[in-house]
Amino acid sequence: MKKHNPILMLFIFLLVLSSCSPMEKILIPTYNKGGYKIKIIEINSKTNPINLKITGKVFDATNGKILSNAQLVIGCFKIQNSSQGEYTFKTNNLKNDFFYIEAIFTGYKTIQTDFIDLTNKNEIQIDFYLAEDDRPFINCEDKTQAF
């Protein structure tokens, strides 16, 4: 048997290693491509136990660029992120200890978190990474055809 060239083996190893996407490994996956990250910023303090602050950003999952003016649905509330991709949601009127957030941006697939446990938490950071939607848009302007 011939001996394998160590340089060739190293090249193949590096090729396989570089093809792995590190972003997918650190994101919490969803039913769509893309995902989200959660970071607990502050655990519940005894001075104000019912206040909650949720912050984060919305990014393109492919290139990491910020997506501005995305819509976020938190329970019954709808908010928009800023032109810098940031959003902030504050409440002191929690009735549930669990909720989920949905991030929506035109031309991208919607991301919805799993239910998040709010027990004993004051501040949470949730960053969304949305994947482009490959479905074609429907042209509603041409209404001349009858069905």
Side-chain angles (χ1 to χ4, degrees), residues 42-142:
E42 186 178 333
I43 301 297
N44 203 5
S45 66
K46 293 181 181 179
T47 58
N48 207 353
I50 60 172
N51 285 343
L52 175 67
K53 181 179 177 183
I54 302 169
T55 61
K57 292 185 178 184
V58 182
F59 299 96
D60 182 305
T62 306
N63 57 25
K65 290 185 179 178
I66 290 175
L67 298 176
S68 59
N69 299 317
Q71 185 177 36
L72 295 124
V73 180
I74 303 171
C76 298
F77 301 99
K78 292 181 181 180
I79 59 173
Q80 257 185 314
N81 67 344
S82 68
S83 59
Q84 291 83 26
E86 300 172 342
Y87 70 92
T88 301
F89 177 77
K90 294 179 185 180
T91 184
N92 59 2
N93 190 9
L94 286 178
K95 294 181 180 163
N96 296 329
D97 288 338
F98 294 90
F99 78 104
Y100 66 91
I101 298 179
E102 187 173 29
I104 304 166
F105 191 76
T106 304
Y108 285 78
K109 294 182 179 181
T110 300
I111 295 289
Q112 188 178 63
T113 66
D114 292 330
F115 280 95
I116 301 168
D117 182 8
L118 301 176
T119 309
N120 297 328
K121 295 173 181 74
N122 278 67
E123 188 173 348
I124 301 172
Q125 178 180 334
I126 304 173
D127 293 331
F128 290 93
Y129 293 82
L130 280 60
E132 282 192 72
D133 198 346
D134 51 1
R135 297 175 294 181
F137 285 109
I138 298 172
N139 184 0
C140 297
E141 293 177 13
D142 186 14

Side-chain angles (χ1 to χ4, degrees), residues 12-25:
I12 292 172
F13 174 74
L14 291 175
L15 184 65
V16 170
L17 185 64
S18 67
S19 68
C20 299
S21 174
M23 184 170 291
E24 291 179 13
K25 293 185 180 6

